[in-house]
Amino acid sequence: MKSHTRYLALQTPARRGFVNITPEVREAVQQSGVQEGLVLVNAMHITASVFINDDESGLHHDYEAWLEQLAPHAPTSHYRHNDTGEDNADAHLKRQVMGREVVVAITAGDLDFGPWEQIFYGEFDGRRKKRILIKVIGE
Amino acid sequence: MKSHTRYLALQTPARRGFVNITPEVREAVQQSGVQEGLVLVNAMHITASVFINDDESGLHHDYEAWLEQLAPHAPTSHYRHNDTGEDNADAHLKRQVMGREVVVAITAGDLDFGPWEQIFYGEFDGRRKKRILIKVIGE
Amino acid sequence: MKSHTRYLALQTPARRGFVNITPEVREAVQQSGVQEGLVLVNAMHITASVFINDDESGLHHDYEAWLEQLAPHAPTSHYRHNDTGEDNADAHLKRQVMGREVVVAITAGDLDFGPWEQIFYGEFDGRRKKRILIKVIGE
């Protein structure tokens, strides 16, 4: 069994944002030499997500508006977590809707994707350095 | 390490629906010959889900009503994604709540399930051909 | 390839609750002898979740209040699933928001975690015996 580990560092300029990380994941898969296996991609922080969906800016606007409706940032005093001095309780909730991680099949040395699948990092409490983990296993 | 890949094709007659795909996943696991490992099952389309829950029609009605409340289909003009000519922005949102994929343990050559676990495909923009990926790895 | 399977049994005293199971998962990883691989941790019941987030009581209060707002327990007659004699339809919905499972990378023999990641069992229909599955694979 082969394995390969890669950490991506990034920092979004705004509190919230979506970043397409498919090229970095594909590169890690290719570096691993794995032909058949799985790749796990996860946020290493608990106010961020990794998810798979469409690379379409209108949709990303819709996600942003919808998540803000489901779990509003303000009033920050609404959340007990924010009594600790944080203002990011909403980000912990939004991350649960969008998920922490994805697991993607590797077939014939590449991501085994449908026609529109792209991997995104979703940031809900940005403007600070965050990390993403890519773990490849297989043969 | 062994691996096995299977693609399921299906088309739901209505826009939304839930299909129990446990038999197909179990068959793929048995064909793989894997005794100990993992199986990944994911929608290859971004307006559909794979999830694990109960095979009970009342519950499926509740999921349908609840998802429609959380992310209504209409008015379609509410969503920027639909400015592209699509009318399925709500389906991209519903899929995030229900998830893209499941990973299930294989123990002694079978799905290692609790008493009520069943694997479902959840369609939120049907009436067209879609695919599901089953990837088995292990030994 | 090595594999290791462990079942955790637990029963929460109240209908809903969050339990930190990180020590048990870490112990299973160490017992497996796997240095590089993946560990799957999932609820074996369909009214419960396994998820990764912060071990902070204010946040857990916020999750509880938010999930009750998204998918209220009462009136129980609101849900068709409850026509079967159950009163736990809301628990099946809450579990989908929080997720069934997590997959965590194992690097150098330990959970490859960011600074705040902790694994939780989320119970939404407790006061009865439930099980969690831990499956380790790798080398």
PDB file of all heavy atoms in Angstrom, chain A residues 3 13 27-28 30 32 41 46 52 57-58 70 73 76-77 81-83 87 90 100-101 108 110 117 125 132 134 137:
ATOM      1  N   SER A   3       1.085   5.515   0.443  1.00  0.00           N
ATOM      2  CA  SER A   3       0.351   6.647   1.014  1.00  0.00           C
ATOM      3  C   SER A   3       1.122   7.926   0.737  1.00  0.00           C
ATOM      4  O   SER A   3       2.340   7.897   0.483  1.00  0.00           O
ATOM      5  CB  SER A   3       0.146   6.459   2.510  1.00  0.00           C
ATOM      6  OG  SER A   3       1.371   6.584   3.195  1.00  0.00           O
ATOM      7  N   PRO A  13      -8.986  36.455   2.067  1.00  0.00           N
ATOM      8  CA  PRO A  13      -8.943  37.887   2.420  1.00  0.00           C
ATOM      9  C   PRO A  13     -10.188  38.356   3.175  1.00  0.00           C
ATOM     10  O   PRO A  13     -10.115  39.293   3.960  1.00  0.00           O
ATOM     11  CB  PRO A  13      -8.829  38.580   1.059  1.00  0.00           C
ATOM     12  CG  PRO A  13      -9.357  37.595   0.063  1.00  0.00           C
ATOM     13  CD  PRO A  13      -9.076  36.237   0.626  1.00  0.00           C
ATOM     14  N   GLU A  27      -2.852  17.160  -8.204  1.00  0.00           N
ATOM     15  CA  GLU A  27      -1.393  17.107  -8.175  1.00  0.00           C
ATOM     16  C   GLU A  27      -0.883  16.159  -7.092  1.00  0.00           C
ATOM     17  O   GLU A  27       0.050  15.373  -7.325  1.00  0.00           O
ATOM     18  CB  GLU A  27      -0.839  18.520  -7.941  1.00  0.00           C
ATOM     19  CG  GLU A  27       0.651  18.654  -8.110  1.00  0.00           C
ATOM     20  CD  GLU A  27       1.107  20.065  -7.765  1.00  0.00           C
ATOM     21  OE1 GLU A  27       0.711  21.019  -8.479  1.00  0.00           O
ATOM     22  OE2 GLU A  27       1.831  20.232  -6.758  1.00  0.00           O
ATOM     23  N   ALA A  28      -1.516  16.196  -5.921  1.00  0.00           N
ATOM     24  CA  ALA A  28      -1.112  15.297  -4.835  1.00  0.00           C
ATOM     25  C   ALA A  28      -1.356  13.839  -5.227  1.00  0.00           C
ATOM     26  O   ALA A  28      -0.535  12.958  -4.925  1.00  0.00           O
ATOM     27  CB  ALA A  28      -1.868  15.634  -3.552  1.00  0.00           C
ATOM     28  N   GLN A  30      -1.334  12.616  -8.258  1.00  0.00           N
ATOM     29  CA  GLN A  30      -0.322  12.249  -9.251  1.00  0.00           C
ATOM     30  C   GLN A  30       1.034  12.014  -8.603  1.00  0.00           C
ATOM     31  O   GLN A  30       1.744  11.059  -8.945  1.00  0.00           O
ATOM     32  CB  GLN A  30      -0.257  13.305 -10.352  1.00  0.00           C
ATOM     33  CG  GLN A  30      -1.503  13.224 -11.258  1.00  0.00           C
ATOM     34  CD  GLN A  30      -1.696  14.446 -12.142  1.00  0.00           C
ATOM     35  OE1 GLN A  30      -0.973  15.434 -12.028  1.00  0.00           O
ATOM     36  NE2 GLN A  30      -2.689  14.386 -13.037  1.00  0.00           N
ATOM     37  N   SER A  32       1.571  10.934  -5.678  1.00  0.00           N
ATOM     38  CA  SER A  32       1.524   9.724  -4.840  1.00  0.00           C
ATOM     39  C   SER A  32       1.852   8.465  -5.632  1.00  0.00           C
ATOM     40  O   SER A  32       2.252   7.457  -5.053  1.00  0.00           O
ATOM     41  CB  SER A  32       0.139   9.561  -4.220  1.00  0.00           C
ATOM     42  OG  SER A  32      -0.809   9.128  -5.195  1.00  0.00           O
ATOM     43  N   VAL A  41      -9.774  14.567   1.684  1.00  0.00           N
ATOM     44  CA  VAL A  41      -9.419  15.992   1.721  1.00  0.00           C
ATOM     45  C   VAL A  41     -10.257  16.632   2.810  1.00  0.00           C
ATOM     46  O   VAL A  41     -11.493  16.589   2.746  1.00  0.00           O
ATOM     47  CB  VAL A  41      -9.701  16.697   0.376  1.00  0.00           C
ATOM     48  CG1 VAL A  41      -9.125  18.104   0.389  1.00  0.00           C
ATOM     49  CG2 VAL A  41      -9.177  15.888  -0.803  1.00  0.00           C
ATOM     50  N   ILE A  46     -12.040  24.114  12.338  1.00  0.00           N
ATOM     51  CA  ILE A  46     -13.420  23.705  12.623  1.00  0.00           C
ATOM     52  C   ILE A  46     -14.439  24.784  12.279  1.00  0.00           C
ATOM     53  O   ILE A  46     -15.610  24.643  12.596  1.00  0.00           O
ATOM     54  CB  ILE A  46     -13.537  23.239  14.094  1.00  0.00           C
ATOM     55  CG1 ILE A  46     -12.982  24.308  15.012  1.00  0.00           C
ATOM     56  CG2 ILE A  46     -12.821  21.916  14.250  1.00  0.00           C
ATOM     57  CD1 ILE A  46     -12.895  23.915  16.464  1.00  0.00           C
ATOM     58  N   ILE A  52     -17.750  19.239  -2.359  1.00  0.00           N
ATOM     59  CA  ILE A  52     -17.706  19.084  -3.813  1.00  0.00           C
ATOM     60  C   ILE A  52     -18.982  19.628  -4.401  1.00  0.00           C
ATOM     61  O   ILE A  52     -20.083  19.210  -4.023  1.00  0.00           O
ATOM     62  CB  ILE A  52     -17.510  17.600  -4.184  1.00  0.00           C
ATOM     63  CG1 ILE A  52     -16.066  17.191  -3.860  1.00  0.00           C
ATOM     64  CG2 ILE A  52     -17.840  17.348  -5.661  1.00  0.00           C
ATOM     65  CD1 ILE A  52     -15.761  15.735  -4.085  1.00  0.00           C
ATOM     66  N   SER A  57     -20.151  30.988 -10.057  1.00  0.00           N
ATOM     67  CA  SER A  57     -20.168  32.077  -9.077  1.00  0.00           C
ATOM     68  C   SER A  57     -21.569  32.393  -8.560  1.00  0.00           C
ATOM     69  O   SER A  57     -21.738  32.784  -7.403  1.00  0.00           O
ATOM     70  CB  SER A  57     -19.526  33.323  -9.686  1.00  0.00           C
ATOM     71  OG  SER A  57     -20.292  33.766 -10.800  1.00  0.00           O
ATOM     72  N   GLY A  58     -22.585  32.226  -9.402  1.00  0.00           N
ATOM     73  CA  GLY A  58     -23.955  32.452  -8.941  1.00  0.00           C
ATOM     74  C   GLY A  58     -24.325  31.472  -7.838  1.00  0.00           C
ATOM     75  O   GLY A  58     -24.941  31.850  -6.828  1.00  0.00           O
ATOM     76  N   LEU A  70     -29.597  30.427   7.319  1.00  0.00           N
ATOM     77  CA  LEU A  70     -29.730  29.268   8.225  1.00  0.00           C
ATOM     78  C   LEU A  70     -29.019  29.508   9.562  1.00  0.00           C
ATOM     79  O   LEU A  70     -29.489  29.037  10.601  1.00  0.00           O
ATOM     80  CB  LEU A  70     -29.127  28.002   7.590  1.00  0.00           C
ATOM     81  CG  LEU A  70     -29.857  27.347   6.429  1.00  0.00           C
ATOM     82  CD1 LEU A  70     -29.127  26.080   5.991  1.00  0.00           C
ATOM     83  CD2 LEU A  70     -31.308  27.020   6.785  1.00  0.00           C
ATOM     84  N   HIS A  73     -24.662  35.362  11.210  1.00  0.00           N
ATOM     85  CA  HIS A  73     -23.516  35.808  11.993  1.00  0.00           C
ATOM     86  C   HIS A  73     -23.946  36.715  13.154  1.00  0.00           C
ATOM     87  O   HIS A  73     -23.431  36.584  14.270  1.00  0.00           O
ATOM     88  CB  HIS A  73     -22.539  36.564  11.087  1.00  0.00           C
ATOM     89  CG  HIS A  73     -21.385  37.153  11.820  1.00  0.00           C
ATOM     90  ND1 HIS A  73     -20.405  36.379  12.407  1.00  0.00           N
ATOM     91  CD2 HIS A  73     -21.058  38.444  12.105  1.00  0.00           C
ATOM     92  CE1 HIS A  73     -19.517  37.163  13.004  1.00  0.00           C
ATOM     93  NE2 HIS A  73     -19.899  38.413  12.838  1.00  0.00           N
ATOM     94  N   THR A  76     -24.209  38.596  17.274  1.00  0.00           N
ATOM     95  CA  THR A  76     -23.241  37.617  17.788  1.00  0.00           C
ATOM     96  C   THR A  76     -23.574  37.205  19.222  1.00  0.00           C
ATOM     97  O   THR A  76     -23.214  36.102  19.653  1.00  0.00           O
ATOM     98  CB  THR A  76     -21.801  38.170  17.734  1.00  0.00           C
ATOM     99  OG1 THR A  76     -21.776  39.429  18.414  1.00  0.00           O
ATOM    100  CG2 THR A  76     -21.353  38.380  16.303  1.00  0.00           C
ATOM    101  N   SER A  77     -24.303  38.070  19.944  1.00  0.00           N
ATOM    102  CA  SER A  77     -24.677  37.743  21.333  1.00  0.00           C
ATOM    103  C   SER A  77     -25.727  36.642  21.403  1.00  0.00           C
ATOM    104  O   SER A  77     -26.038  36.148  22.486  1.00  0.00           O
ATOM    105  CB  SER A  77     -25.213  38.992  22.029  1.00  0.00           C
ATOM    106  OG  SER A  77     -26.383  39.448  21.343  1.00  0.00           O
ATOM    107  N   HIS A  81     -21.372  30.325  22.439  1.00  0.00           N
ATOM    108  CA  HIS A  81     -19.952  30.150  22.119  1.00  0.00           C
ATOM    109  C   HIS A  81     -19.244  31.495  22.085  1.00  0.00           C
ATOM    110  O   HIS A  81     -18.055  31.580  22.420  1.00  0.00           O
ATOM    111  CB  HIS A  81     -19.805  29.438  20.775  1.00  0.00           C
ATOM    112  CG  HIS A  81     -18.394  29.224  20.332  1.00  0.00           C
ATOM    113  ND1 HIS A  81     -17.469  28.517  21.082  1.00  0.00           N
ATOM    114  CD2 HIS A  81     -17.728  29.629  19.212  1.00  0.00           C
ATOM    115  CE1 HIS A  81     -16.306  28.495  20.437  1.00  0.00           C
ATOM    116  NE2 HIS A  81     -16.442  29.158  19.316  1.00  0.00           N
ATOM    117  N   ASN A  82     -19.960  32.519  21.690  1.00  0.00           N
ATOM    118  CA  ASN A  82     -19.342  33.844  21.581  1.00  0.00           C
ATOM    119  C   ASN A  82     -19.105  34.488  22.953  1.00  0.00           C
ATOM    120  O   ASN A  82     -18.369  35.483  23.049  1.00  0.00           O
ATOM    121  CB  ASN A  82     -20.187  34.742  20.679  1.00  0.00           C
ATOM    122  CG  ASN A  82     -20.141  34.282  19.217  1.00  0.00           C
ATOM    123  OD1 ASN A  82     -19.217  33.565  18.824  1.00  0.00           O
ATOM    124  ND2 ASN A  82     -21.125  34.680  18.432  1.00  0.00           N
ATOM    125  N   ASP A  83     -19.675  33.934  24.026  1.00  0.00           N
ATOM    126  CA  ASP A  83     -19.361  34.391  25.385  1.00  0.00           C
ATOM    127  C   ASP A  83     -17.899  34.133  25.733  1.00  0.00           C
ATOM    128  O   ASP A  83     -17.376  34.719  26.685  1.00  0.00           O
ATOM    129  CB  ASP A  83     -20.236  33.659  26.419  1.00  0.00           C
ATOM    130  CG  ASP A  83     -21.714  33.989  26.260  1.00  0.00           C
ATOM    131  OD1 ASP A  83     -22.040  34.972  25.565  1.00  0.00           O
ATOM    132  OD2 ASP A  83     -22.550  33.260  26.833  1.00  0.00           O
ATOM    133  N   ASP A  87     -16.291  35.549  17.983  1.00  0.00           N
ATOM    134  CA  ASP A  87     -17.495  36.030  17.300  1.00  0.00           C
ATOM    135  C   ASP A  87     -17.851  35.094  16.133  1.00  0.00           C
ATOM    136  O   ASP A  87     -18.514  35.506  15.189  1.00  0.00           O
ATOM    137  CB  ASP A  87     -17.304  37.467  16.802  1.00  0.00           C
ATOM    138  CG  ASP A  87     -16.316  37.553  15.644  1.00  0.00           C
ATOM    139  OD1 ASP A  87     -15.613  36.561  15.355  1.00  0.00           O
ATOM    140  OD2 ASP A  87     -16.246  38.629  15.014  1.00  0.00           O
ATOM    141  N   ASP A  90     -21.390  31.247  14.440  1.00  0.00           N
ATOM    142  CA  ASP A  90     -22.101  30.962  13.185  1.00  0.00           C
ATOM    143  C   ASP A  90     -21.227  30.149  12.236  1.00  0.00           C
ATOM    144  O   ASP A  90     -21.737  29.305  11.489  1.00  0.00           O
ATOM    145  CB  ASP A  90     -22.551  32.258  12.513  1.00  0.00           C
ATOM    146  CG  ASP A  90     -21.378  33.101  12.026  1.00  0.00           C
ATOM    147  OD1 ASP A  90     -20.541  33.502  12.873  1.00  0.00           O
ATOM    148  OD2 ASP A  90     -21.280  33.338  10.812  1.00  0.00           O
ATOM    149  N   ARG A 100     -17.079  18.696   6.676  1.00  0.00           N
ATOM    150  CA  ARG A 100     -15.645  18.853   6.990  1.00  0.00           C
ATOM    151  C   ARG A 100     -14.740  18.340   5.893  1.00  0.00           C
ATOM    152  O   ARG A 100     -13.635  18.836   5.697  1.00  0.00           O
ATOM    153  CB  ARG A 100     -15.330  18.059   8.263  1.00  0.00           C
ATOM    154  CG  ARG A 100     -13.844  17.868   8.547  1.00  0.00           C
ATOM    155  CD  ARG A 100     -13.630  16.933   9.711  1.00  0.00           C
ATOM    156  NE  ARG A 100     -12.228  16.713  10.016  1.00  0.00           N
ATOM    157  CZ  ARG A 100     -11.524  15.629   9.653  1.00  0.00           C
ATOM    158  NH1 ARG A 100     -12.097  14.675   8.954  1.00  0.00           N
ATOM    159  NH2 ARG A 100     -10.253  15.526   9.978  1.00  0.00           N
ATOM    160  N   GLU A 101     -15.190  17.292   5.176  1.00  0.00           N
ATOM    161  CA  GLU A 101     -14.271  16.493   4.371  1.00  0.00           C
ATOM    162  C   GLU A 101     -14.971  15.918   3.155  1.00  0.00           C
ATOM    163  O   GLU A 101     -16.198  15.803   3.134  1.00  0.00           O
ATOM    164  CB  GLU A 101     -13.744  15.326   5.216  1.00  0.00           C
ATOM    165  CG  GLU A 101     -14.741  14.172   5.371  1.00  0.00           C
ATOM    166  CD  GLU A 101     -14.719  13.479   6.702  1.00  0.00           C
ATOM    167  OE1 GLU A 101     -14.085  13.990   7.639  1.00  0.00           O
ATOM    168  OE2 GLU A 101     -15.365  12.424   6.806  1.00  0.00           O
ATOM    169  N   ALA A 108      -7.407   4.559 -12.150  1.00  0.00           N
ATOM    170  CA  ALA A 108      -6.443   4.763 -13.229  1.00  0.00           C
ATOM    171  C   ALA A 108      -5.592   6.016 -13.005  1.00  0.00           C
ATOM    172  O   ALA A 108      -5.296   6.767 -13.922  1.00  0.00           O
ATOM    173  CB  ALA A 108      -7.153   4.817 -14.588  1.00  0.00           C
ATOM    174  N   ASP A 110      -6.195   8.873 -11.466  1.00  0.00           N
ATOM    175  CA  ASP A 110      -6.795  10.215 -11.433  1.00  0.00           C
ATOM    176  C   ASP A 110      -8.056  10.216 -10.577  1.00  0.00           C
ATOM    177  O   ASP A 110      -8.630   9.156 -10.285  1.00  0.00           O
ATOM    178  CB  ASP A 110      -7.143  10.675 -12.851  1.00  0.00           C
ATOM    179  CG  ASP A 110      -7.317  12.192 -12.957  1.00  0.00           C
ATOM    180  OD1 ASP A 110      -7.096  12.908 -11.951  1.00  0.00           O
ATOM    181  OD2 ASP A 110      -7.682  12.647 -14.055  1.00  0.00           O
ATOM    182  N   GLU A 117     -18.022  17.774 -11.046  1.00  0.00           N
ATOM    183  CA  GLU A 117     -17.489  17.755  -9.678  1.00  0.00           C
ATOM    184  C   GLU A 117     -16.172  18.538  -9.577  1.00  0.00           C
ATOM    185  O   GLU A 117     -15.227  18.275 -10.317  1.00  0.00           O
ATOM    186  CB  GLU A 117     -17.274  16.313  -9.206  1.00  0.00           C
ATOM    187  CG  GLU A 117     -18.566  15.542  -8.994  1.00  0.00           C
ATOM    188  CD  GLU A 117     -18.309  14.189  -8.351  1.00  0.00           C
ATOM    189  OE1 GLU A 117     -17.905  13.249  -9.051  1.00  0.00           O
ATOM    190  OE2 GLU A 117     -18.507  14.077  -7.134  1.00  0.00           O
ATOM    191  N   ASP A 125     -14.634  31.745   8.565  1.00  0.00           N
ATOM    192  CA  ASP A 125     -14.018  32.627   9.567  1.00  0.00           C
ATOM    193  C   ASP A 125     -12.577  32.876   9.150  1.00  0.00           C
ATOM    194  O   ASP A 125     -11.629  32.454   9.833  1.00  0.00           O
ATOM    195  CB  ASP A 125     -14.084  31.965  10.961  1.00  0.00           C
ATOM    196  CG  ASP A 125     -13.555  32.878  12.051  1.00  0.00           C
ATOM    197  OD1 ASP A 125     -13.718  34.114  11.929  1.00  0.00           O
ATOM    198  OD2 ASP A 125     -12.972  32.367  13.029  1.00  0.00           O
ATOM    199  N   ILE A 132      -5.346  22.731   5.024  1.00  0.00           N
ATOM    200  CA  ILE A 132      -6.148  21.638   4.475  1.00  0.00           C
ATOM    201  C   ILE A 132      -5.239  20.420   4.388  1.00  0.00           C
ATOM    202  O   ILE A 132      -4.065  20.544   4.019  1.00  0.00           O
ATOM    203  CB  ILE A 132      -6.662  22.003   3.067  1.00  0.00           C
ATOM    204  CG1 ILE A 132      -7.582  23.215   3.132  1.00  0.00           C
ATOM    205  CG2 ILE A 132      -7.377  20.825   2.414  1.00  0.00           C
ATOM    206  CD1 ILE A 132      -7.750  23.922   1.798  1.00  0.00           C
ATOM    207  N   ILE A 134      -4.520  16.666   2.693  1.00  0.00           N
ATOM    208  CA  ILE A 134      -4.801  15.733   1.595  1.00  0.00           C
ATOM    209  C   ILE A 134      -4.073  14.431   1.918  1.00  0.00           C
ATOM    210  O   ILE A 134      -2.849  14.434   2.088  1.00  0.00           O
ATOM    211  CB  ILE A 134      -4.294  16.284   0.247  1.00  0.00           C
ATOM    212  CG1 ILE A 134      -4.908  17.662  -0.037  1.00  0.00           C
ATOM    213  CG2 ILE A 134      -4.616  15.311  -0.891  1.00  0.00           C
ATOM    214  CD1 ILE A 134      -4.316  18.364  -1.254  1.00  0.00           C
ATOM    215  N   ILE A 137      -4.285   7.151  -0.172  1.00  0.00           N
ATOM    216  CA  ILE A 137      -3.863   5.766   0.086  1.00  0.00           C
ATOM    217  C   ILE A 137      -4.321   4.871  -1.067  1.00  0.00           C
ATOM    218  O   ILE A 137      -5.335   5.150  -1.703  1.00  0.00           O
ATOM    219  CB  ILE A 137      -4.376   5.200   1.433  1.00  0.00           C
ATOM    220  CG1 ILE A 137      -5.889   5.004   1.412  1.00  0.00           C
ATOM    221  CG2 ILE A 137      -3.959   6.066   2.611  1.00  0.00           C
ATOM    222  CD1 ILE A 137      -6.365   4.102   2.537  1.00  0.00           C
TER     223      ILE A 137
END
